[in-house]
Amino acid sequence: MLKCTKFQWQQPKNGMILSSAFNLHCGSSPNGLKETVKSNLPKEEHVSRFLKRKWALRIPNTKINQIMISKDDFQQGGEYLGNLSFLNNPQPSMGDHMTRNNQQQPSFYVVRDDLLHPLVNGNKARKLDALLPLLEDSSVTDVVTCGGCQSAHAAAVAVSCAERGLKSHLLLRGEQPATLTGYNLISTLYGNVSYVPRSLYARREEMLLKHAHTVAGNDGLVFSLADLEASLFSHGCGEHSSHVDSLTKRSKKVAIINEGAGDAAALLGVVRLVEYLSQDHLFGKDQQLKIIIDAGTGTTAVGVGIGAVCLGLPWEVTAVMLADTIDGYQKKEESLISEFRRCFTLHLGEQMLTGLEPGLVHWVERSSPRKFGNILKGEVEICRKIAQETGILLDPVYTLAAWELATQLGQEESAEVVMLHTGGTLGMFGLAQRYKSYFEIC
């Protein structure tokens, strides 16, 4: 007999919550996924079929630039890449023509996800690429998430929800600044912002759940993204579907998105990017790559690693740690991989997930470690120099760290080096507010 595990329901004081439903065992699966799992399709074709779902981005395409590196004889050396010059090739040779043997100078590639949306960072857009259709298909009315005062994630959720008629509720750590600027300003313009004490923010899960129930009210329903993903994949299991349908007629349907969209369902948007980049006319499936990513929560780096494993790509993922210790990032990687396996093993199959274990990402310190959010003297000047020489704008907190490592490896490695430019440039406005002396440019 075919079996479909039921959801278990709890009735809190404020609203209702749908418990986790990862371990669904349904006899039928949507879009022919069950048949795909059992087939002997090549990995890339199998993953392509798995990724045939609704997306927020119409196409996964992104621009790719090549950055040539040379010594700058007119500089006095100094720190922060000051003794190097950069030249941007906006239309590099790709596919079979991409070979270092034809290059006269060291270089690296930049995936321009910073250009995907004027207000939404590229890595945020990739994660929301998978999440937003999930919210819409589940008739979610409100979204609750959290972040720092200048959280690019919170701003991305606020903008993306407003564009789709959803209400966002953003819990920002710390105190409201005297002047709203940068991502904080965008979050306030597009979403409903509440500032929470750091002591409360330290218990994020509890804080998010409590606030979501407040938004839902007595008659509303609170979802986690795991609930929504499980509900989507279990469609067709009669008893479960009718139960959910009757409950989702309620007026308020509130979804919780973790800090930085650190959710398994969000990883699919990053996997979609990996599939796009691995096309034969771009980086291909056989070329060895070293992918460099700046790591806030580390979710994007883990998603790239998962995508490379699922597609069988010889790509090495290196993430520059910015906001946590190596132990914290390794635990986050382990948690995300475990959650991804629970969510998608039924539909991808164990064979497709072979090698999907902690250790996919090589976590490294930034060249000049400091407390997260702080910048050092000279970093604004090097961002300005790079912008003037290449037309690519970096920020000192996130993307400059990835650029520094890509520059170093581009001069040392035999494999192709690729930096994923996640964005972050709106953060410059917040930094200018905090570090006025660093922005006194003549």
Side-chain angles (χ1 to χ4, degrees), residues 45 73 76 94 152 236 252 343 366:
E45 188 173 344
D73 297 331
Q76 299 300 315
M94 304 295 292
K252 286 276 189 179
C343 270
R366 67 188 306 162

PDB file of all heavy atoms in Angstrom, residues 45 73 76 94 152 236 252 343 366:
ATOM      1  N   GLU A  45      21.599  15.827 -17.156  1.00  0.00           N
ATOM      2  CA  GLU A  45      20.212  15.736 -17.630  1.00  0.00           C
ATOM      3  C   GLU A  45      19.270  15.442 -16.472  1.00  0.00           C
ATOM      4  O   GLU A  45      18.159  15.965 -16.417  1.00  0.00           O
ATOM      5  CB  GLU A  45      20.092  14.657 -18.703  1.00  0.00           C
ATOM      6  CG  GLU A  45      18.721  14.644 -19.380  1.00  0.00           C
ATOM      7  CD  GLU A  45      18.659  13.685 -20.549  1.00  0.00           C
ATOM      8  OE1 GLU A  45      19.730  13.256 -21.035  1.00  0.00           O
ATOM      9  OE2 GLU A  45      17.532  13.366 -20.975  1.00  0.00           O
ATOM     10  N   ASP A  73      53.769  49.764 -12.223  1.00  0.00           N
ATOM     11  CA  ASP A  73      55.087  50.353 -11.978  1.00  0.00           C
ATOM     12  C   ASP A  73      54.999  51.758 -11.399  1.00  0.00           C
ATOM     13  O   ASP A  73      55.996  52.300 -10.899  1.00  0.00           O
ATOM     14  CB  ASP A  73      55.903  50.394 -13.276  1.00  0.00           C
ATOM     15  CG  ASP A  73      56.180  48.995 -13.811  1.00  0.00           C
ATOM     16  OD1 ASP A  73      56.259  48.067 -13.003  1.00  0.00           O
ATOM     17  OD2 ASP A  73      56.305  48.853 -15.049  1.00  0.00           O
ATOM     18  N   GLN A  76      53.515  52.848  -5.432  1.00  0.00           N
ATOM     19  CA  GLN A  76      54.586  52.705  -4.460  1.00  0.00           C
ATOM     20  C   GLN A  76      54.435  51.427  -3.643  1.00  0.00           C
ATOM     21  O   GLN A  76      54.811  51.387  -2.481  1.00  0.00           O
ATOM     22  CB  GLN A  76      54.589  53.931  -3.525  1.00  0.00           C
ATOM     23  CG  GLN A  76      54.830  55.247  -4.237  1.00  0.00           C
ATOM     24  CD  GLN A  76      56.175  55.266  -4.940  1.00  0.00           C
ATOM     25  OE1 GLN A  76      57.188  54.850  -4.374  1.00  0.00           O
ATOM     26  NE2 GLN A  76      56.190  55.744  -6.176  1.00  0.00           N
ATOM     27  N   MET A  94      35.201  31.897 -24.186  1.00  0.00           N
ATOM     28  CA  MET A  94      34.744  30.878 -23.245  1.00  0.00           C
ATOM     29  C   MET A  94      34.675  29.537 -23.969  1.00  0.00           C
ATOM     30  O   MET A  94      35.051  29.404 -25.121  1.00  0.00           O
ATOM     31  CB  MET A  94      33.366  31.262 -22.681  1.00  0.00           C
ATOM     32  CG  MET A  94      33.309  32.627 -22.013  1.00  0.00           C
ATOM     33  SD  MET A  94      34.314  32.751 -20.524  1.00  0.00           S
ATOM     34  CE  MET A  94      33.423  31.658 -19.431  1.00  0.00           C
ATOM     35  N   ALA A 152      21.934  43.016   3.872  1.00  0.00           N
ATOM     36  CA  ALA A 152      21.559  42.937   2.456  1.00  0.00           C
ATOM     37  C   ALA A 152      20.457  41.915   2.261  1.00  0.00           C
ATOM     38  O   ALA A 152      19.606  42.060   1.372  1.00  0.00           O
ATOM     39  CB  ALA A 152      22.788  42.573   1.620  1.00  0.00           C
ATOM     40  N   GLY A 236      -0.422  15.441  -4.421  1.00  0.00           N
ATOM     41  CA  GLY A 236      -0.920  14.214  -5.032  1.00  0.00           C
ATOM     42  C   GLY A 236      -1.210  13.144  -3.997  1.00  0.00           C
ATOM     43  O   GLY A 236      -1.891  12.182  -4.283  1.00  0.00           O
ATOM     44  N   LYS A 252      -4.235  34.697   7.236  1.00  0.00           N
ATOM     45  CA  LYS A 252      -2.812  34.973   7.358  1.00  0.00           C
ATOM     46  C   LYS A 252      -2.006  33.697   7.198  1.00  0.00           C
ATOM     47  O   LYS A 252      -2.233  32.706   7.901  1.00  0.00           O
ATOM     48  CB  LYS A 252      -2.507  35.586   8.725  1.00  0.00           C
ATOM     49  CG  LYS A 252      -2.943  37.027   8.868  1.00  0.00           C
ATOM     50  CD  LYS A 252      -1.895  37.977   8.303  1.00  0.00           C
ATOM     51  CE  LYS A 252      -2.251  39.423   8.650  1.00  0.00           C
ATOM     52  NZ  LYS A 252      -1.242  40.360   8.136  1.00  0.00           N
ATOM     53  N   CYS A 343      15.527  16.858   2.386  1.00  0.00           N
ATOM     54  CA  CYS A 343      14.509  17.446   1.507  1.00  0.00           C
ATOM     55  C   CYS A 343      14.430  16.758   0.150  1.00  0.00           C
ATOM     56  O   CYS A 343      13.339  16.555  -0.381  1.00  0.00           O
ATOM     57  CB  CYS A 343      14.808  18.928   1.290  1.00  0.00           C
ATOM     58  SG  CYS A 343      14.045  20.036   2.469  1.00  0.00           S
ATOM     59  N   ARG A 366      40.150  35.704   5.614  1.00  0.00           N
ATOM     60  CA  ARG A 366      40.464  36.801   4.707  1.00  0.00           C
ATOM     61  C   ARG A 366      41.894  37.256   4.970  1.00  0.00           C
ATOM     62  O   ARG A 366      42.462  36.992   6.033  1.00  0.00           O
ATOM     63  CB  ARG A 366      39.471  37.942   4.843  1.00  0.00           C
ATOM     64  CG  ARG A 366      39.505  38.687   6.150  1.00  0.00           C
ATOM     65  CD  ARG A 366      38.344  39.680   6.264  1.00  0.00           C
ATOM     66  NE  ARG A 366      38.302  40.571   5.116  1.00  0.00           N
ATOM     67  CZ  ARG A 366      37.223  41.289   4.775  1.00  0.00           C
ATOM     68  NH1 ARG A 366      36.099  41.173   5.453  1.00  0.00           N
ATOM     69  NH2 ARG A 366      37.247  42.090   3.750  1.00  0.00           N
TER      70      ARG A 366
END
